[in-house]
Amino acid sequence: MGEPVPDISAQEPSGPKPVRGRAVLASALLLLPVVYASANAQVSSMFSLLVPPVGALLFLIALNAALRKGAPKAELSQADLIVTFAFLSVASAIASEWAWVGHSALHMFPILAESNPTVRDVILPNMPDWLAAKDIESVRDLTTGGHNLSYVVGKLPLFLPKYLAWAALVGSLFFACLCINSLMRDAWCRRERLAFPIIQLPVALAEKGGRGAVFRSPYTWIALAIMFSIDMLNGFSYLFPNVPNIPVKDLVNLQDLFAEPPLSQIGFFPLAIYPFMAAIGLFVPSDLLLSMIVFFLLRKLTHVVLAANGIPQSTFSGTFLAPGPPYFDEQTWGAVLALFVGAVWVARPYLREVWQSIRTGKREEDGGIPHRWAFVGLVGSFFAVLAFGMAGTLPVIFLVPYVALFLIFSVVVTRLRAQLGPPTHEFAFFGPNSIMQRFFGTRWLSPRQVVWVNQVFIVMNRIHRTHPMPYQLEGMKMGALSNVRQSHLFWGMAAVALVGFVAAYFFLHVYAYRTGQVARWSESLMYVQTMVGAQKGPDFVGILMTAFGFGVVVGLDAIRFRVPGFPLHPAGYLLSSNFGVDYYWFGLLLALLIKNFVQRYYGHSGYGKLRNVAFGILIAEYAAETIWMTVALVTHQSTYTISFNERSLGLQ
C-alpha cells in the first residue's frame, strides 16, 4: 500500500501561522512566468503534478541554497515554500485547460462565420457581445499573425471586458469548489487519512527549506543523475537527429500489430513507460494501481468483444465522440454518482458537525474561514452560475441539476485524487451535458440554449486533467502539514486564481496574434453541430447503463466491505472507463510489480529506498522538462518533452 504523506510539521511551532510576506512576494514574482508557461507550453501542463509550479519550486530551492550562504535571514522556510507552491499550482491549473477550452470564443466566431454556416447561422447570433467579439473588422488582424506584445496590449479595450466576464463565470465555479474544500478539509485532510500521493514530491522538496531527507539519500542522486542524463540526451537527439536517444516513452502500439478485426478495433493500446508517471505510481496504494490496470484491460477486452459481434469500435467508442456501445460515458456517470453517495455516507458524522458549525458560526481551530461563510460562498457561487445560464434562456429546472452534477463530479475527482493520486485523470468530452442529454434529451433546446451549454459552459464539459479543485485541496493539505493559517491559504488561492485566469487569457492572445492561430483547443463547433443536427429525446439505454455503472461501484464496495483484502477498488473502474490511462497503464504495471517485489523481499527499509529512487526520477524529469519547456518558449520552436503529447512543430 502507498504510505500517507509524512507529517513535516514536527519541527514547526504548534498552532496556525500566518502566511509570511516573503511567501507572498515569491508567489507574486513567479505568478506571471508560471501562468505564461501554463498557458503556452500546453504539453507540460496536463498532468496531476504540473510542470511549471514544480519548476518554480526547484528554482526556489536552488535560490535558498544560495541565500543560505550569502543572506541566511532572507531564506524561505518550509512553510514559505509550501505556500508558494500551493498558490502557483492553483494558478497554473486554472491557466491551463480551464483557460484553453474557452479562450478562442473571444475572437474566432466572426472569422469562422465567413466559411462555416453553423457558426454564421447558429453560434454567432446567439453569443452575447459581452462574451465574444462579433464584428469581423475588430478581429481580422488576428488572422495575419506577426503582431508583437505591444500590439496585443492595444487590443485590451476590446478584450479586457470579455476577460472579466469569462472570469466571473469561471471564478464562480472555482470559488464554489474552494468553499466545498473549505467545508470538507478536516475530513479529507485529517480524519479519512487519504494518502495524497501527488503532493509527496513537493512536500519532500520543501522539507526544512530544501534541506530535507530526500537530498541526503544517495538513491535519490543516483536516480536523478541517470534520468536527467537520459532526458537531456533525448532532448539533444530531438534537435539533432544524428545524436542517439534512449526510448523511455512510447515503445510500441499494440493496435498496430493487428491487421484484421476484431483485434484491429481495440483502439490505442500502447506499451509506454513515461518514467515520471511510473514514479508517481510508486506512491499510489497497490490495490488502486491494480484496479486501474485491470479495468483498463477490461475496457480493451470490451472493445474486442463488441467488434467481434459486429459493433464497430475505436479508441473513443462509448464516449461523446462516438456515443453508443459500450456506453462508457454513461457507466462513468453512474460510477461518479455512486462514489459521491459513498463519500457522503462515510462523512455523515462529519457533515453533522459542519452543519452545527454553520448554524453557530463557530471559529475553526486551524484558522480557516468559518464554515458559515464557506457555506454562504458556496450558495452565492452556485446562484451566480445559475444567473449565467439564465442569461442564455436555460430554465432553472434544468440549471439546478446541471450545475449540481458538475460540482458532484468535482467532489469525486478531488477526493479520488487525494486517495489515489493518478498521474492524470482525463475525462475527455465528459460533463453535465452528456448525462443531461441522456435523461432529458435535446429536442426542447433552442439554438441559443444549444450554444450556451456547448460554448459558454464548455469548461464544465471538455476535459478535466487540470481541474482546479484537487489543487485547492492539496494546497490545504500541505498548508495543514506546515501549520499555515487556512484562511490565508483560502483567500490567497482565490486571488491567484483570478489573476492567473485573466493573465492566461491575455497570454493566449499574445500567442494567437503572433502566430495567427484563430481556433486553438476549442471543440464547441463540433458540440453544436452534433446537438443541432441530431436532436432527440431521452436515451433509455443510456439511462440503464448509468444505473449499471452505479451498480458496479456499489457492488465493488459491498465486496470490499465483506471480503477484507479484496484487490479491486471502484475508483479504478471510474478512471479506466475513460481515455487517459491508455498512455501510462504499462508504466503503472511496472511500478506495481517493482513496488510489490521490494515490499515483499526488502520490507519497509527497501520501500523507503525505492521512494527515494522515485523522488530522483521525478526531480530529474521535471527539471529536464522545465529546461526544454523554457527553451521552447524562448525560441518559439519545438523541443523534446517528457509528455505523452509532442510539442507541435513550428511556432510555440
Side-chain angles (χ1 to χ4, degrees), residues 427-649:
F427 296 85
F429 307 98
F430 181 84
N433 274 359
S434 57
I435 188 170
M436 295 297 282
Q437 287 180 40
R438 302 301 181 267
F439 280 79
F440 290 89
T442 58
R443 288 176 183 161
W444 61 275
L445 289 169
S446 69
R448 183 175 179 83
Q449 292 167 335
V450 168
V451 170
W452 218 260
V453 297
N454 287 299
Q455 176 59 72
V456 178
F457 285 169
I458 192 172
V459 71
M460 290 191 266
N461 292 282
R462 172 57 183 94
I463 198 166
H464 307 281
R465 285 180 295 209
T466 67
H467 193 307
M469 188 171 174
Y471 297 94
Q472 298 168 358
L473 182 65
E474 288 163 357
M476 292 176 179
K477 173 66 174 179
M478 290 187 290
L481 292 175
S482 290
N483 297 315
V484 176
R485 187 177 295 276
Q486 288 291 331
S487 62
H488 291 186
L489 284 173
F490 181 96
W491 294 114
M493 287 191 284
V496 298
L498 178 61
V499 175
F501 183 81
V502 174
Y505 262 36
F506 174 74
F507 290 142
L508 287 169
H509 262 139
V510 171
Y511 175 91
Y513 274 94
R514 176 165 53 81
T515 62
Q517 287 201 18
V518 174
R520 189 184 189 202
W521 257 88
S522 177
E523 284 80 16
S524 61
L525 177 58
M526 179 189 68
Y527 277 87
V528 171
Q529 287 175 330
T530 300
M531 194 174 288
V532 170
Q535 292 193 326
K536 51 190 176 182
D539 183 346
F540 294 106
V541 176
I543 294 172
L544 288 175
M545 292 305 295
T546 303
F548 174 79
F550 189 98
V552 169
V553 169
V554 171
L556 287 172
D557 273 336
I559 295 172
R560 287 173 63 84
F561 180 76
R562 290 172 173 78
V563 183
F566 183 73
L568 295 183
H569 195 288
Y573 169 66
L574 170 66
L575 279 169
S576 298
S577 293
N578 286 267
F579 184 78
V581 178
D582 311 49
Y583 291 117
Y584 56 87
W585 74 273
F586 185 69
L588 293 187
L589 176 60
L590 294 179
L592 176 64
L593 295 175
I594 293 170
K595 183 168 76 166
N596 284 350
F597 176 83
V598 170
Q599 287 179 326
R600 178 170 183 178
Y601 293 103
Y602 297 94
H604 185 75
S605 174
Y607 180 64
K609 296 172 182 177
L610 182 63
R611 291 178 76 249
N612 285 323
V613 170
F615 284 137
I617 293 172
L618 286 168
I619 295 169
E621 289 256 272
Y622 276 79
E625 180 68 9
T626 299
I627 292 171
W628 293 123
M629 175 187 72
T630 303
V631 171
L633 291 173
V634 171
T635 65
H636 304 315
Q637 296 297 321
S638 181
T639 61
Y640 176 77
T641 175
I642 65 173
S643 178
F644 40 78
N645 289 347
E646 298 298 328
R647 299 190 209 279
S648 57
L649 296 176

Side-chain angles (χ1 to χ4, degrees), residues 19-54:
V19 170
R20 296 204 302 173
R22 64 188 64 189
V24 175
L25 178 61
S27 301
L29 292 175
L30 292 171
L31 180 63
L32 291 183
V34 164
V35 168
Y36 181 83
S38 302
N40 286 288
Q42 297 185 349
V43 300
S44 303
S45 304
M46 49 181 57
F47 319 127
S48 298
L49 187 60
L50 295 162
V51 172
V54 174

Side-chain angles (χ1 to χ4, degrees), residues 98-360:
W98 269 33
W100 302 341
V101 298
H103 178 262
S104 296
L106 274 77
H107 57 255
M108 71 177 178
F109 295 131
I111 298 171
L112 298 182
E114 294 185 321
S115 59
N116 189 297
T118 300
V119 175
R120 182 186 65 241
D121 301 333
V122 179
I123 298 179
L124 191 59
N126 289 296
M127 282 295 292
D129 295 339
W130 45 277
L131 287 179
K134 302 178 74 172
D135 177 16
I136 182 61
E137 296 307 321
S138 67
V139 294
R140 192 182 297 279
D141 51 352
L142 191 150
T143 62
T144 62
H147 300 292
N148 58 22
L149 176 64
S150 61
Y151 185 88
V152 184
V153 171
K155 302 292 292 191
L156 283 178
L158 170 66
F159 288 118
L160 183 58
K162 297 172 177 55
Y163 293 171
L164 297 177
W166 282 103
L169 171 60
V170 172
S172 297
L173 293 170
F174 178 94
F175 197 70
C177 293
L178 188 60
C179 290
I180 293 172
N181 274 329
S182 182
L183 292 167
M184 297 301 300
R185 69 180 181 278
D186 191 50
W188 291 342
C189 293
R190 185 175 64 88
R191 301 191 188 191
E192 296 184 20
R193 299 187 61 81
L194 304 178
F196 284 89
I198 295 301
I199 69 171
Q200 295 268 1
L201 177 65
V203 165
L205 291 176
E207 186 180 1
K208 296 181 180 179
R211 292 177 291 174
V214 67
F215 292 110
R216 298 194 298 271
S217 169
Y219 297 97
T220 298
W221 288 105
I222 292 170
L224 191 159
I226 294 173
M227 194 70 248
F228 186 76
S229 298
I230 291 173
D231 284 334
M232 296 308 292
L233 175 66
N234 288 346
F236 285 113
S237 176
Y238 185 95
L239 297 174
F240 309 103
N242 289 333
V243 176
N245 64 19
I246 301 176
V248 292
K249 299 198 302 180
D250 294 317
L251 304 178
V252 63
N253 181 5
L254 295 179
Q255 183 185 21
D256 296 337
L257 304 180
F258 308 119
E260 300 294 332
L263 290 176
S264 63
Q265 296 185 26
I266 199 169
F268 182 57
F269 195 6
L271 294 184
I273 299 176
Y274 297 102
F276 76 99
M277 294 188 177
I280 290 174
L282 294 173
F283 301 117
V284 175
S286 295
D287 62 335
L288 296 171
L289 271 179
L290 177 64
S291 300
M292 291 174 68
I293 296 165
V294 168
F295 284 113
F296 165 75
L297 295 176
L298 286 175
R299 172 158 65 88
K300 290 300 176 184
L301 178 62
T302 302
H303 285 312
V304 173
V305 170
L306 290 178
N309 285 275
I311 302 174
Q313 296 290 291
S314 65
T315 300
F316 289 101
S317 290
T319 68
F320 181 86
L321 285 175
Y327 299 98
F328 285 129
D329 264 11
E330 292 81 356
Q331 291 186 54
T332 301
W333 262 116
V336 165
L337 295 173
L339 287 169
F340 178 77
V341 170
V344 171
W345 182 262
V346 168
R348 291 187 334 277
Y350 176 77
L351 290 172
R352 283 194 288 268
E353 293 178 25
V354 169
W355 180 245
Q356 184 65 22
S357 295
I358 292 171
R359 293 178 59 193
T360 62

